[in-house]
Amino acid sequence: MTQSSAETTQTPEDVLATFVAGLSYEDVPESTIETIERAFADTVGVTLAGVVADAGKRASAIATPTAPENGGVKILGTGTHAALSDAVLANGTAGHALDFDDLSWAMDGHPSVPMVAPALALAEQLDASGKALITAFAAGFEAECYVAEPISPTHYELGWHPTATFGTFGAAAAASQLLGLSAEETKRALNIAASMPSGLKRNFGSMTKPLHAGLSGRSGVTAAQLAAEGFTADEAAVSGSRGFWDRYGTGAERVAKPPGDPWRLVETGISIKAYPCCYFTHTSIAAAQDLVSTHNIAPADVKRIKSTASGGAGDALSHPDPQTGLEAKFSMEYALACAVALDTVSLDAFEDDAIGEEMVQRVRERAIFEVDESLPYKSNDVLVELTTTNGDTYEATLTEPPGTPNNPLSDADLRAKFIDCATRAVSESVAEETVDKLLALRDQPSVRDIVAPL
């Protein structure tokens, strides 16, 4: 649909608001329900791990304690309650603190973490059902992608972090759905949200990167609450001159397919991360692991290892010699070293005190990262070349990392990831109980009951 088409008088804001406000659980494609349940399980799991990470702990520290009877909701994994906006900020930041949360190329970023924090908090406050939560997620996901479509990937190339920017609209849509806002109120929420997005790629490798997710969730829920109170905004703050598309993109034609036609959840879907680092490293990690395993190469026998990847990877991976765990998550060289020198590329590999591990550093010093400008900017295609100390050279190519919709994590792997993450903050029995409920979210009558043990 061309937004300026004379075939309709609806503005893009009208189209999106009508979709979000009118969506029901029955409208959500059956094939996507499990995708959404897996997204909630994955996001809650990494949030529970992130709440004990530095960024998560510091975001929680500034929250205002508020009792449940006064509207307080859980800061997950802490057993404490805080005012809604503070809890959303804390949970959203924790969810992205370890860069282990999911991704979708339909919005060039991490779709779930900006929505799950506000949607879960509101659903707890309202004592909404699992089906209501699923519907809110579906509305938010399609909203993120609809707003992203006309200006991607230029938006990312300009230095914006899509999780923060497009995620604000996803959070506003999800919150509007849960609050039962009308189409007109939802439109106001989206137009209010258009003045809130921020998030600079310059801050990748610092605590401010995960803060982007917390801020977008807080901004989105605030926009929905303000709209419910009658707060006003310009009618075309997304699509109009000097609006969001105009300022956050370039002179590209403003074209987006209507939300839900087709469903981005079906067409593109969600990729769940197998490794806790920037997604642009994942195909290189998997390819390097395959080379080492297939040819029985010891880390000490690596003379050189080189990854050639896309321009998007080149933009994101800016720390060839990382000094902290957060910087290491945005280092292709460190990722290759971990793939070669460690049995698994796990959360532990990105702890600050793990960075200097002798064999990892030895391989990192021999790692090279180059960009192939002929690849599409967002491509995950990689060529990994490994040369041993005796002169043998091996190559591996890979187009998709593990965890994509075409190569999803198994139920057992997803469950293992959840338990590993969650038990950093809660007991194993609570972790087991929680993942069971989240993976059957459609059957849960009360979200409040799900978060109560956390």
Side-chain angles (χ1 to χ4, degrees):
M1 180 186 71
T2 302
Q3 305 304 349
S4 59
S5 172
E7 296 176 3
T8 176
T9 58
Q10 281 198 314
T11 66
E13 292 83 359
D14 290 323
V15 170
L16 182 54
T18 299
F19 170 82
V20 170
L23 191 67
S24 69
Y25 177 80
E26 289 69 29
D27 296 326
V28 181
E30 177 65 28
S31 63
T32 69
I33 303 299
E34 183 179 357
T35 298
I36 296 172
E37 290 171 332
R38 285 167 63 91
F40 268 103
D42 187 63
T43 307
V44 171
V46 298
T47 300
L48 290 169
V51 78
V52 297
D54 277 350
K57 288 190 291 189
R58 293 173 196 276
S60 298
I62 68 167
T64 301
T66 305
E69 55 268 27
N70 295 323
V73 293
K74 280 285 182 72
I75 297 178
L76 301 182
T78 67
T80 62
H81 294 77
L84 179 69
S85 61
D86 287 357
V88 171
L89 179 72
N91 289 332
T93 302
H96 200 43
L98 300 169
D99 226 280
F100 210 3
D101 50 304
D102 63 28
L103 177 134
S104 178
W105 290 121
M107 52 84 74
D108 289 349
H110 302 263
S112 296
V113 68
M115 294 190 296
V116 167
L120 203 61
L122 263 182
E124 178 189 353
Q125 194 173 73
L126 299 169
D127 199 20
S129 69
K131 286 183 177 179
L133 199 56
I134 287 170
T135 308
F137 184 100
F141 185 88
E142 296 299 309
E144 289 174 332
C145 300
Y146 179 75
V147 174
E149 198 166 279
I151 58 174
S152 294
T154 305
H155 181 76
Y156 189 89
E157 295 178 64
L158 289 171
W160 295 108
H161 182 198
T163 305
T165 52
F166 304 140
T168 302
F169 293 97
S176 296
Q177 235 287 328
L178 279 167
L179 290 169
L181 301 192
S182 68
E184 184 58 35
E185 290 169 325
T186 300
K187 180 180 174 181
R188 289 205 306 269
L190 294 166
N191 281 317
I192 294 167
S195 276
M196 295 174 163
S198 187
L200 302 173
K201 281 165 56 183
R202 180 75 192 189
N203 268 314
F204 281 16
S206 75
M207 291 185 199
T208 301
K209 202 257 190 179
L211 177 64
H212 293 170
L215 290 170
S216 62
R218 185 178 69 177
S219 293
V221 77
T222 300
Q225 290 177 312
L226 288 170
E229 292 295 325
F231 216 81
T232 65
D234 185 84
E235 291 278 309
V238 177
S239 66
S241 174
R242 293 181 293 178
F244 179 82
W245 281 342
D246 195 25
R247 298 295 88 187
Y248 285 74
T250 59
E253 186 182 5
R254 304 294 181 234
V255 177
K257 299 171 186 174
D261 184 22
W263 279 84
R264 276 73 165 181
L265 271 167
V266 175
E267 195 174 58
T268 305
I270 295 173
S271 298
I272 292 179
K273 282 189 169 186
Y275 315 114
C277 47
C278 178
Y279 197 67
F280 278 118
T281 67
H282 286 211
T283 39
S284 294
I285 291 171
Q289 287 177 324
D290 182 61
L291 282 177
V292 169
S293 173
T294 300
H295 302 288
N296 195 29
I297 300 168
D301 294 334
V302 174
K303 180 179 180 181
R304 189 186 82 151
I305 184 166
K306 175 183 174 183
S307 174
T308 304
S310 67
D315 276 356
L317 304 174
S318 56
H319 296 283
D321 182 14
Q323 302 302 304
T324 67
L326 287 175
E327 288 182 355
K329 290 175 182 286
F330 297 90
S331 172
M332 180 69 87
E333 293 83 356
Y334 185 79
L336 288 169
C338 288
V340 170
L342 304 177
D343 291 334
T344 58
V345 182
S346 66
L347 286 170
D348 293 339
F350 297 91
E351 297 289 345
D352 285 348
D353 57 7
I355 302 302
E357 199 278 330
E358 183 178 357
M359 189 55 69
V360 171
Q361 283 300 314
R362 182 192 180 281
V363 179
R364 185 198 61 76
E365 290 168 358
R366 290 156 176 77
I368 300 170
F369 171 40
E370 291 185 357
V371 169
D372 181 353
E373 298 293 353
S374 70
L375 289 172
Y377 182 80
K378 297 193 295 184
S379 174
N380 278 300
D381 290 15
V382 296
L383 167 64
V384 174
E385 304 165 88
L386 191 154
T387 302
T388 64
T389 51
N390 65 10
D392 293 329
T393 298
Y394 305 97
E395 293 184 357
T397 59
L398 195 62
T399 60
E400 283 194 355
T404 66
N406 293 328
N407 182 25
L409 294 188
S410 68
D411 290 345
D413 285 344
L414 176 60
R415 192 179 188 86
K417 176 182 174 180
F418 183 94
I419 299 301
D420 180 50
C421 287
T423 50
R424 295 165 189 263
V426 300
S427 69
E428 187 167 350
S429 61
V430 168
E432 294 276 5
E433 176 188 351
T434 303
V435 72
D436 285 343
K437 289 180 178 179
L438 290 170
L439 291 174
L441 187 58
R442 73 191 85 180
D443 299 324
Q444 306 307 313
S446 169
V447 172
R448 195 175 289 171
D449 289 345
I450 298 175
V451 301
L454 302 178

